[in-house]
C-alpha cells in the first residue's frame, strides 16, 4: 500500500483546547479541524466579480472567506454575495458601526472589527445586539502596526505585550456586553513578535485564535515568513484558523495554507506531491514535469500521494513509497509504480499522463478525510 495508509511521521504536540465558535457551518476552535481563510481582492461593491472570486477560493479549498466592507456601496452588495456563497463569509469592518449592522443584516456569518474603533459604547452595544440575535461571532483583529496610541507610548514601541494588552481591552468591550462569541487575531509583519504575542495570549485566554503574519510579502517571501511563524505556533498546538497573507492572487494564499497544514499533519485531502530537486543524473527536464503534474492534480478532493522522480538512484524507492509514482531513467524510458509495485515500463514521454491518470483514479475512490 502507498503512503495514504501508512500513518508514518512524528505527530505534533496536543492542540490547545479553546472555546468553540461557529462561522456559519464551520466550527472554529474546540478541537475542530483548523480552518483555512483568505480574503477577496475585488471591490466588494462589484458583487459579480466578488462572488466569482469567493467561488474560486472555495474551489481551491478555502473554508471561510473575508470581504472588505469599507463603505455603503460594499455593504449594499453583500446580500447578492452572501446568499449564493458556497462558504461562510466574514465582513471586515473599520470605524463605522453602521457597516457592521448592514453586514449582519445582509447575513454574513462573521464580523472582524476592533470594538474600540467603531465609536461609543452604545454603538458597540448595537453591534453586539445584532450579532447576538444572529449568533454571529466577532473576531477582534489586533495588528502591531495599528495599536492604540496609549499602548504604544506605554511600551515605547509596538510589542507582543502591547498587542495582548490591546486584545484584552477589546475583549473586555464585548464581555462587558455579555458576549463571548469571540475569536482573536494578533498579527505583525515580524515573525518573532507574532509568535510571542500568540503564545502570551494563549497562556491567558481560551478564545480561539486566527493566525497570520500580516503584510508577509510577495509569493516567495510571504510563504517563507508565514510558514516560519505559523509553523512554530501550530507545532505548539496554538491556532484554530489561519490565513497566509500574500501580495499575490488569493488562490495562492489558500494553496500555501493547505500545503502548510498538510505538511504538519493537520489537514488532509488532495494530492501530496513528492518530487526530486534534480541533479546531474537527471535525464529529463524535471521541473516543468513536476509543476504540470501538481497543477493537473491541484483540485483533487480525495487523498493521494504522488511521486515524480528523475533518476534510478532515489527514484524507485520514493515512487514505490507513494500511492502512485514515476521514476524516469536513461534511454528514454522509466517506471510507473502503484501501491509499491512496478506497473509498467514506459516511454518517458508517456509517464506524465500515466501518473496523472492513476492518481485521479485513486483519489476518485477515496472519501476525503477531515
Amino acid at each position: 500500500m502507498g503512503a495514504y495508509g501508512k500513518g508514518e511521521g512524528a505527530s505534533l504536540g496536543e492542540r490547545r483546547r479553546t472555546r468553540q465558535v461557529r462561522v456559519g457551518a464551520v466550527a472554529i476552535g474546540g478541537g475542530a479541524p483548523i480552518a483555512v481563510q483568505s480574503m477577496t481582492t475585488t471591490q466588494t461593491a462589484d458583487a459579480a466579480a466578488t462572488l466569482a472570486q469567493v467561488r474560486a477560493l472555495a474551489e481551491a479549498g478555502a473554508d471561510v472567506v473575508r470581504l472588505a466592507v469599507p463603505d455603503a456601496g460594499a455593504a449594499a452588495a453583500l446580500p447578492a454575495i452572501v446568499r449564493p456563497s458556497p462558504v461562510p463569509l466574514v465582513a471586515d469592518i473599520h470605524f463605522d458601526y453602521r457597516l457592521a449592522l448592514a453586514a449582519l443584516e445582509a447575513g454574513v456569518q462573521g464580523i472582524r472589527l476592533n470594538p474600540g474603533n467603531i465609536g461609543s459604547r452604545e454603538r458597540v452595544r448595537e453591534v453586539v445586539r445584532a450579532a447576538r440575535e444572529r449568533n454571529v461571532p466577532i473576531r477582534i483583529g489586533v495588528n502591531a502596526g495599528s495599536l492604540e496610541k496609549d499602548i504604544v507610548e506605554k511600551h515605547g514601541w509596538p510589542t507582543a505585550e502591547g498587542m495582548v494588552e490591546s486584545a484584552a481591552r477589546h475583549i473586555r468591550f464585548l464581555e462587558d456586553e455579555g458576549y463571548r462569541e469571540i475569536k482573536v487575531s494578533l498579527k505583525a509583519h515580524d515573525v518573532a513578535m507574532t509568535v510571542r504575542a500568540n503564545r502570551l495570549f494563549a497562556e491567558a485566554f481560551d478564545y480561539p485564535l486566527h493566525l497570520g503574519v500580516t503584510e508577509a510579502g510577495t509569493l516567495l517571501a510571504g510563504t517563507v515568513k508565514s510558514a516560519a511563524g505559523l509553523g512554530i505556533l501550530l507545532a505548539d498546538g496554538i491556532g484554530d484558523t489561519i490565513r497566509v497573507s500574500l501580495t499575490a492572487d488569493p488562490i495562492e494564499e489558500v494553496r500555501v495554507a493547505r500545503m502548510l497544514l498538510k505538511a504538519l499533519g493537520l489537514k488532509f485531502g488532495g494530492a501530496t506531491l513528492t518530487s526530486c530537486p534534480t541533479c546531474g543524473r537527471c535525464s529529463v527536464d524535471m521541473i516543468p514535469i513536476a509543476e504540470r503534474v501538481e497543477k493537473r492534480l491541484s483540485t483533487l478532493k480525495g487523498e493521494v500521494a504522488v511521486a515524480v522522480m528523475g533518476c534510478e538512484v532515489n527514484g524507485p524507492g520514493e515512487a514505490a513509497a507513494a500511492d502512485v509514482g514515476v521514476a524516469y531513467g536513461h534511454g528514454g524510458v522509466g517506471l510507473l509504480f502503484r501501491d509499491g509495485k512496478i506497473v509498467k515500463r514506459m516511454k518517458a514521454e508517456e509517464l506524465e499522463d500515466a501518473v496523472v491518470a492513476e492518481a485521479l483514479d485513486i483519489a476518485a475512490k477515496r472519501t476525503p478525510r477531515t
Side-chain angles (χ1 to χ4, degrees):
M1 179 177 235
Y4 178 80
K6 291 183 176 178
E8 297 177 349
S11 60
L12 299 178
E14 184 178 352
R15 286 180 60 193
R16 164 180 170 258
R17 199 72 178 180
T18 63
R19 296 172 59 86
Q20 187 173 94
V21 300
R22 299 193 71 87
V23 181
V26 177
I28 306 292
I34 294 171
V36 171
Q37 298 193 28
S38 185
M39 189 170 183
T40 55
T41 57
T42 55
Q43 296 295 312
T44 307
D46 186 340
T50 301
L51 180 59
Q53 192 169 71
V54 168
R55 285 173 167 155
L57 290 167
E59 177 64 24
D63 301 300
V64 175
V65 174
R66 181 158 48 109
L67 314 174
V69 186
D71 52 38
L78 286 175
I81 303 167
V82 173
R83 283 194 295 268
S85 174
V87 292
L89 300 179
V90 174
D92 192 89
I93 308 292
H94 291 279
F95 308 119
D96 191 341
Y97 80 105
R98 293 169 298 183
L99 297 175
L101 295 176
L104 289 164
E105 182 66 28
V108 298
Q109 292 90 357
I111 293 285
R112 186 272 190 187
L113 52 76
N114 284 342
N117 76 9
I118 60 170
S120 67
R121 177 59 60 91
E122 181 53 39
R123 290 177 176 179
V124 173
R125 188 172 291 119
E126 284 191 55
V127 174
V128 170
R129 187 182 302 121
R132 181 184 287 112
E133 288 173 357
R134 297 164 176 82
N135 198 32
V136 170
I138 294 173
R139 171 158 74 90
I140 294 169
V142 176
N143 283 355
S146 57
L147 290 177
E148 297 92 319
K149 184 178 179 180
D150 67 303
I151 291 179
V152 175
E153 290 176 349
K154 174 182 175 181
H155 293 274
W157 192 256
T159 64
E161 289 77 7
M163 292 170 68
V164 175
E165 184 176 340
S166 176
R169 178 180 295 180
H170 295 313
I171 287 170
R172 284 195 297 271
F173 266 95
L174 300 185
E175 288 183 340
D176 286 349
E177 298 303 325
Y179 204 61
R180 293 175 63 86
E181 296 300 304
I182 300 169
K183 51 193 174 78
V184 177
S185 63
L186 303 105
K187 300 183 181 182
H189 71 270
D190 179 82
V191 170
M193 188 185 300
T194 299
V195 169
R196 178 163 173 76
N198 281 275
R199 281 175 168 168
L200 289 172
F201 183 90
E203 291 174 359
F205 298 91
D206 67 350
Y207 288 112
L209 276 167
H210 169 80
L211 300 184
V213 177
T214 195
E215 287 93 36
T218 54
L219 181 57
L220 177 58
T223 294
V224 172
K225 288 178 70 174
S226 295
L230 274 59
I232 290 169
L233 290 167
L234 292 167
D236 282 350
I238 296 171
D240 303 283
T241 174
I242 68 170
R243 179 193 175 191
V244 174
S245 297
L246 301 175
T247 309
D249 187 326
I251 296 295
E252 299 296 338
E253 295 187 351
V254 177
R255 294 182 67 234
V256 172
R258 292 188 64 85
M259 287 181 182
L260 174 59
L261 292 174
K262 286 174 67 176
L264 294 170
L266 296 169
K267 198 82 170 177
F268 304 100
T272 299
L273 180 68
T274 299
S275 59
C276 71
T278 81
C279 68
R281 294 191 299 267
C282 190
S283 62
V284 294
D285 193 0
M286 175 56 55
I287 294 173
I289 292 172
E291 289 177 343
R292 287 195 301 268
V293 170
E294 183 178 62
K295 185 174 181 179
R296 292 172 71 178
L297 301 177
S298 63
T299 60
L300 290 184
K301 304 302 181 190
E303 194 167 351
V304 59
V306 181
V308 179
M309 305 299 294
C311 78
E312 305 94 330
V313 178
N314 295 323
E318 292 289 350
D323 291 311
V324 59
V326 291
Y328 288 86
H330 287 80
V333 296
L335 300 174
L336 174 68
F337 293 80
R338 179 162 174 166
D339 294 330
K341 298 177 181 178
I342 297 174
V343 175
K344 192 174 182 181
R345 184 179 178 89
M346 306 177 70
K347 294 180 181 179
E349 60 268 24
E350 298 173 341
L351 286 173
E352 180 182 328
D353 285 341
V355 74
V356 168
E358 294 288 340
L360 291 171
D361 179 65
I362 292 169
K365 295 173 181 177
R366 288 181 173 161
T367 301
R369 290 192 282 172
T370 58

